[in-house]
Amino acid sequence: MNRIDALFSSLKLEHRPALMPFITAGDPDLATTKALIEEMVVRGADMIEVGIPYSDPIADGPVIAASYTRALRKGLKQAEILKTIRSIRDEAGSGPLSRTPMVAMLSYSIIHRQGVESFLKRAVEAGFDGVIVPDLPVEESEDLAGLAAGLNVKLIQLITPTTPRDRALAIAKSTTGFIYYVSVSGLTGERQSLPPDLADNVSWLRTQTDLPVCIGFGISSPDQIRELSPVADGLIVGSALVRRLADAEGKPREAVVDDIGRFVADLSAALR
Amino acid sequence: MALNASKVRADTSLPDALGRYGAFGGRFVPETLMDALNRLSAAYAETKADPTFQARLDDYLRDYVGRPSPLFFAKRLTELAGGADIYLKREDLNHTGAHKINNALGQVLIAERMGKKRVIAETGAGQHGVATATACALLGLECTIYMGEEDIRRQKLNVFNMKTLGASVVPVTTGSRTLRDATNEAMRDWMGSSGETHYTIGSVVGPHPFPMIVRDYQAVIGRETKRQSLEKLGRLPDALVACVGGGSNAAGMFYPFIDDESVELIGAEAGGRGPTSGEHASSLTQGRPGVLHGSFSYVLQDDDGQTDDVHSISAGLDYPGVGPEHSYWKDAGRVRYESITDVEALEAYGRLARLEGILPALESSHAVAQAIKEAPALGAGKVLVICLSGRGDKDAFEVARLRGEPM
């Protein structure tokens, strides 16, 4: 069974949503990325979203875009990212990290350059369970969806507040694993307050699909986690974590990992 | 991915419903923008069917822009090149000094019709920024222009003019601080603002329907050239030459001639300092198909899919991608794309100034340099038209700096 499916069936029994932190691979370096993934799982993360840096990320806000730029400036290569993920799986033994789903979030520019099939095979070999391709709308995703299904990789599609409802249904149909519901129109980034109709939109979507619906974009505090827990199957926290990597350069790795670990523990406590 | 270059007849009815030109084009953008793009497609289709809208645009093009732009015989340049008669399609004489106003006016009129209060744009050389700021001043819309810091440095005159026209100019400090980064920022802005904002893209790039809209508004260049050529010479030209960055002036010049097989079409890309990676912006002659800024087209990318750094003396050509329809024309064998170096472009800039009394933009100087190479091979008695896409006033400071001359 794909680790994503296994996670959501077990969380159903616990009656709580998944905590899904996002971090950039290779910011400030891959050794820190590995330590962070391991620490976040210890501290209560249920799934890890790994951002694969891209030079021209039009879908991401300034915090994540800057993080991608920092990672790429050091000459980060795709192959090294995949090697790091593989080593996390290899060293997990039968521990929690052998069961924690990991999802790669990346631009279609990168996937296309490597070839869709070749990329997906390498991602599976590395230990990824799914991909989120934010710049690949449903009209362009048929090939990727077919190949991913054959390899048991989930293709997680996004639905946004600007998506008309009939279109949302079409997107839900072509999605596997879970639906990524974008809380606000615009970019990834922290928000003080979330839109008032968010809960209604997500509740409607959950009546239309059997897939788990997870909310991302703009979630940055335990209070927001508490507010959204009742309506979502999972909550994604990205920029609020990545912001903490911006000044990681020059700090001891343990301090950076501990700081982010504590933050994840606070978020995790808020949904239990 | 590249199709066999043995000639497939290029289809002028494209793009298809998905915004494809053969394999190229499409929409590779976040879901957040899909609704905005669908609304824009619908609004554009309405304007095409609306004679009142078209008449209003035509009035502005005639009385405000000064169209039609002249087709001028460049006698002394012809003598220098030694071969075909060289004509200049004088887009440099348009209001605001370049072809960019043709598209900016059309798109800002669409924005007004869609009830948008605010217009944003990216700009490289600043010509599209000035054109958009101008159209917004004319129609009373709020205007924000994204421009890379490096381009702000080398195109100060245009920055000053945009501000005078009432636009705010936002310096972009990410990445290479040029057109590519300005495009990223403009798309980011639009992602959060598409409800009240129209994004006036400046070239035949980006997600569908932008490449089609920009081509259609620029096609006035090719239509006029055809008519003027028939009136003046009684026949079609034998060859057309235009510079290609994103490729809007070239697309506008070539599109009306695609079905005229006797007319050879030649695009001149920025060869920069030569073919070494990072030193040029020749997406079509040095790149390979990939995805950038929402569209599938030839791009300059490394094996990981990361965009290469590019270089051109000309800010308007300093871009790692190109419009998808150019990629289609290249693979169909309908347009031949060549590369012109910084040095060749600078030389052509000086030559046109001294021989014809016309200061071309550095972008257009690439087309002039290519034409000087083509004319002898084409031979006497043949006719070659250069799309002189813009005037060179904006480049005076940068050329003086490169020559080491004080201003």
Side-chain angles (χ1 to χ4, degrees):
Chain A
M1 194 191 229
N2 183 291
R3 293 185 190 94
I4 296 173
D5 294 336
L7 172 72
F8 285 110
S9 0
S10 88
L11 287 181
K12 220 171 206 164
L13 304 172
E14 290 183 45
H15 300 290
R16 70 164 178 92
L19 177 63
M20 305 154 71
F22 168 100
I23 51 159
T24 302
D27 182 22
D29 52 55
L30 284 169
T32 306
T33 304
K34 183 177 176 184
L36 276 170
I37 291 174
E38 290 165 349
E39 180 72 8
M40 291 193 297
V41 170
V42 170
R43 301 275 196 158
D46 298 298
M47 185 187 309
I48 307 288
E49 248 187 62
V50 180
I52 311 290
Y54 172 51
S55 54
D56 297 83
I58 53 172
D60 292 290
V63 172
I64 289 173
S67 172
Y68 283 180
T69 305
R70 286 195 298 272
L72 290 173
R73 206 172 280 150
K74 294 180 181 163
L76 181 71
K77 293 286 173 207
Q78 193 70 16
E80 296 163 22
I81 298 173
L82 296 176
K83 230 184 266 174
T84 301
I85 299 301
R86 186 64 257 164
S87 74
I88 292 171
R89 292 292 191 207
D90 288 343
E91 290 163 30
S94 59
L97 261 164
S98 67
R99 295 184 297 276
T100 307
M102 286 198 269
V103 170
M105 182 153 174
L106 77 170
S107 167
Y108 186 67
S109 300
I110 296 174
I111 297 179
H112 174 269
R113 172 57 57 235
Q114 299 182 19
V116 175
E117 189 166 13
S118 147
F119 168 80
L120 287 172
K121 283 184 174 159
R122 291 174 69 202
V124 175
E125 280 163 22
F128 278 115
D129 307 289
V131 291
I132 303 173
V133 192
D135 54 2
L136 192 70
V138 65
E139 287 84 350
E140 302 282 0
S141 67
E142 203 176 306
D143 285 359
L144 182 62
L147 289 163
L151 292 164
N152 195 24
V153 184
K154 303 298 185 185
L155 174 60
I156 294 115
Q157 307 261 34
L158 288 83
I159 294 176
T160 78
T162 61
T163 307
R165 287 197 162 177
D166 54 344
R167 183 176 168 83
L169 296 180
I171 295 173
K173 241 178 228 153
S174 80
T175 300
T176 52
F178 64 91
I179 291 166
Y180 190 135
Y181 188 84
V182 176
S183 62
V184 287
S185 57
L187 303 159
T188 59
E190 300 157 70
R191 300 287 195 288
Q192 292 301 317
S193 61
L194 294 163
D197 54 354
L198 175 60
D200 287 348
N201 288 335
V202 173
S203 300
W204 170 79
L205 193 56
R206 286 172 94 192
T207 64
Q208 304 294 313
T209 173
D210 294 330
L211 285 169
V213 179
C214 303
I215 303 177
F217 282 44
I219 302 176
S220 59
S221 71
D223 282 348
Q224 288 171 330
I225 296 267
R226 267 188 286 274
E227 181 191 332
L228 294 173
S229 278
V231 292
D233 298 296
L235 297 165
I236 300 154
V237 180
S239 297
L241 279 170
V242 173
R243 184 166 52 80
R244 290 170 154 80
L245 293 172
D247 49 357
E249 193 68 51
K251 274 192 195 166
R253 184 171 299 145
E254 300 71 39
V256 175
V257 171
D258 187 58
D259 172 44
I260 291 183
R262 280 165 196 272
F263 181 57
V264 169
D266 289 347
L267 298 172
S268 172
L271 51 70
R272 279 165 211 267
Chain B
M1 206 63 189
L3 301 171
N4 191 331
S6 70
K7 312 221 170 178
V8 187
R9 198 188 163 93
D11 183 351
T12 48
S13 72
L14 297 174
D16 65 15
L18 288 175
R20 295 279 185 170
Y21 306 83
F24 299 104
R27 284 176 175 172
F28 296 88
V29 293
E31 173 61 23
T32 312
L33 283 184
M34 289 303 285
D35 191 50
L37 291 171
N38 284 331
R39 285 170 196 267
L40 178 59
S41 294
Y44 178 65
E46 276 175 35
T47 64
K48 270 188 94 167
D50 177 358
T52 320
F53 182 93
Q54 292 301 324
R56 193 163 165 229
L57 176 59
D58 290 345
D59 283 352
Y60 279 128
L61 289 176
R62 187 186 62 240
D63 299 337
Y64 188 70
V65 176
R67 302 207 70 93
S69 68
L71 184 66
F72 173 72
F73 176 51
K75 185 166 174 289
R76 298 188 67 212
L77 184 69
T78 297
E79 285 163 11
L80 170 99
D85 288 347
I86 301 177
Y87 286 77
L88 306 175
K89 176 62 175 164
R90 299 290 309 275
E91 291 299 299
D92 62 313
L93 292 178
N94 291 343
H95 179 44
T96 73
H99 70 293
K100 293 293 186 188
I101 190 75
N102 303 330
N103 166 56
L105 253 180
Q107 284 206 50
V108 173
L109 282 169
I110 294 182
E112 186 194 49
R113 185 190 168 104
M114 290 179 82
K116 308 286 183 186
K117 302 284 175 241
R118 176 172 175 262
V119 168
I120 58 170
E122 83 296 336
T123 196
Q127 291 301 115
H128 175 57
V130 167
T132 305
T134 297
C136 286
L138 179 68
L139 295 169
L141 296 180
E142 188 191 331
C143 180
T144 299
I145 305 293
Y146 288 92
M147 188 167 185
E149 239 182 9
E150 165 65 8
D151 292 339
I152 287 179
R153 181 193 66 72
R154 52 182 171 172
Q155 306 277 257
K156 315 182 175 119
L157 180 65
N158 277 341
V159 177
F160 181 79
N161 288 343
M162 282 185 265
K163 289 179 179 165
T164 306
L165 289 160
S168 35
V169 180
V170 180
V172 176
T173 58
T174 51
S176 55
R177 302 166 190 214
T178 58
L179 179 54
R180 153 194 167 197
D181 310 283
T183 307
N184 290 339
E185 287 306 321
M187 285 203 176
R188 287 209 179 102
D189 179 315
W190 204 39
M191 214 99 65
S193 66
S194 61
E196 76 287 345
T197 298
H198 174 70
Y199 177 20
T200 300
I201 230 168
S203 192
V204 285
V205 300
H208 178 66
F210 284 115
M212 172 182 74
I213 293 178
V214 179
R215 175 201 70 194
D216 288 353
Y217 285 141
Q218 293 296 359
V220 66
I221 304 173
R223 285 196 305 270
E224 283 178 10
T225 302
K226 200 177 230 187
R227 200 183 64 225
Q228 290 165 323
S229 184
L230 290 171
E231 282 167 9
K232 260 185 202 277
L233 313 165
R235 65 188 189 88
L236 294 180
D238 300 289
L240 305 176
V241 180
C243 66
V244 179
S248 69
N249 87 84
M253 183 60 144
F254 296 165
Y255 181 67
F257 288 93
I258 290 293
D259 290 334
D260 299 305
E261 282 173 7
S262 68
V263 184
E264 196 182 357
L265 308 175
I266 304 141
E269 289 197 293
R273 301 185 191 102
T276 314
S277 175
E279 302 277 292
H280 63 83
S282 305
S283 320
L284 286 161
T285 51
Q286 301 279 335
R288 47 189 172 168
V291 172
L292 177 68
H293 290 149
S295 172
F296 180 59
S297 192
Y298 277 80
V299 293
L300 292 163
Q301 265 183 352
D302 70 12
D303 291 339
D304 265 9
Q306 309 293 348
T307 310
D308 285 337
D309 285 335
V310 294
H311 161 81
S312 169
I313 190 176
S314 135
L317 305 184
D318 199 351
Y319 183 69
V322 67
E325 197 164 16
H326 284 292
S327 295
Y328 171 68
W329 288 337
K330 173 191 161 80
D331 280 7
R334 181 62 188 96
V335 181
R336 173 160 58 88
Y337 296 91
E338 304 284 354
S339 196
I340 289 292
T341 65
D342 287 353
V343 172
E344 290 172 321
L346 262 181
E347 192 184 38
Y349 171 88
R351 277 180 163 170
L352 197 69
R354 287 188 300 273
L355 291 172
E356 301 290 347
I358 295 170
L359 281 167
L362 284 176
E363 290 76 13
S364 323
S365 301
H366 287 69
V368 175
Q370 187 63 41
I372 294 172
K373 290 185 184 180
E374 299 288 340
L378 211 54
K382 303 282 185 172
V383 172
L384 181 157
V385 180
I386 300 173
C387 184
L388 199 71
S389 55
R391 66 177 183 229
D393 312 39
K394 69 185 177 61
D395 295 311
F397 286 97
E398 184 64 1
V399 172
R401 189 184 71 87
L402 290 164
R403 285 180 181 161
E405 287 173 20
M407 284 287 272

